Amino acid sequence: VQSFMRGWLCRRKWKTIVQDYICSPHAESMRKRNQIVFNMVEAESEYVHQLYVLVNCFLRPLRMAASSKKPPISHDDVSSIFLNRYGIFCLLFGGFTDHFFPFFFTDLFDILLPMLNIYQEFVRNHQYSLQVLANCKQNRDFDKLLKQYEANPACEGRMLETFLTYPMFQIPRYIITLHELLAHTPHEHVERKSLEFAKSKLEELSRVMHDEVSDTENIRKNLAIERTIVEGCDILLDTSQTFIRQGSLIQVPSVERGKLSKVRLGSLSLKKEGERQCFLFTKHFLICTRSSGGKLHLLK
């Protein structure tokens, strides 16, 4: 009887302890933390599925088309469009999904962090890949073939550009998730330091990628403008020259004391209004005229 009573008292006390903990702020924080982790696993599964559709519905068929007798696209263009997306697919496939539960959450970041530099090249060339795709769409045969691929039920009505953009949001999403996790992770938690380290590394990588993307896009923008000018423009080959904006301005003659005076701009004498194509940079202001053929000519 004494043994029975001691067991009953112990179970009642343990039940009270468990119930008190379930209602405690710490338990509520842990529930929110676990929900964040499982939401990330679900989002990662969806992301892997999107990359799977990208590879099987676009990348592999386009590689086959590039090897055909009359290819609508070259292998170089296929490589330029898809860049490292196949590598990203191989990197994440099974990382946060199939092999999640045998590891601590931070173990997966420890495994993936050294490989996330693959995103650096991808993000740097993302705009270029979209530009190559837009140029390829000028080919009617390629455009027709691409629409057939996009009509696949697995694409759910989404265009290729949509799938190409998905990896762009991964690192920002990881940073947000880690920030939310840290908000619900006690300071004495075994994963606290690892989560802070992963967050700092991802934020550093994000800053580096942002700076590199800005520099790369600026160089490409300058070169694109330089190619549109018939005479060329050597000052745009300066990598420290930053593009600000472009647009059309109307150059008008000035009037002095009721008398029309000539306005000289470079070697151009102007007696009437004229539209000019202008490009503003950090160091120079370019003024061009547009010929009837649509080409630009730089004023001296």
Side-chain angles (χ1 to χ4, degrees), residues 202-220:
L202 287 174
E203 287 176 341
E204 180 183 350
L205 180 61
S206 179
R207 286 192 294 269
V208 170
M209 289 193 304
H210 180 271
D211 294 339
E212 288 190 355
V213 168
S214 300
D215 292 341
T216 304
E217 289 305 311
N218 179 68
I219 291 172
R220 285 182 179 151

Side-chain angles (χ1 to χ4, degrees), residues 228-275:
T228 61
I229 299 174
V230 176
E231 301 84 2
C233 186
D234 292 340
I235 61 175
L236 294 184
L237 302 181
D238 180 6
T239 56
S240 63
Q241 181 107 256
T242 304
F243 171 79
I244 299 176
R245 66 177 298 175
Q246 71 182 68
S248 300
L249 292 178
I250 302 297
Q251 183 183 349
V252 297
S254 60
V255 179
E256 296 180 0
R257 298 179 181 179
K259 184 178 178 182
L260 188 66
S261 62
K262 295 182 180 180
V263 175
R264 292 189 58 83
L265 188 61
S267 61
L268 179 68
S269 297
L270 187 69
K271 294 182 178 181
K272 61 180 181 179
E273 292 185 359
E275 184 177 349

Side-chain angles (χ1 to χ4, degrees), residues 188-205:
E188 66 277 6
H189 196 280
V190 66
E191 293 187 334
R192 178 81 190 190
K193 290 185 178 179
S194 297
L195 288 173
E196 290 176 343
F197 176 75
K199 179 171 174 285
S200 65
K201 283 294 184 182
L202 287 174
E203 287 176 341
E204 180 183 350
L205 180 61

Side-chain angles (χ1 to χ4, degrees), residues 12 15 33 40 48 161 171-172 207 215 235 255 275:
R12 188 177 71 168
K15 183 179 180 182
R33 184 179 186 279
M40 183 171 185
V48 169
E161 289 89 338
I171 286 185
R207 286 192 294 269
D215 292 341
I235 61 175
V255 179
E275 184 177 349

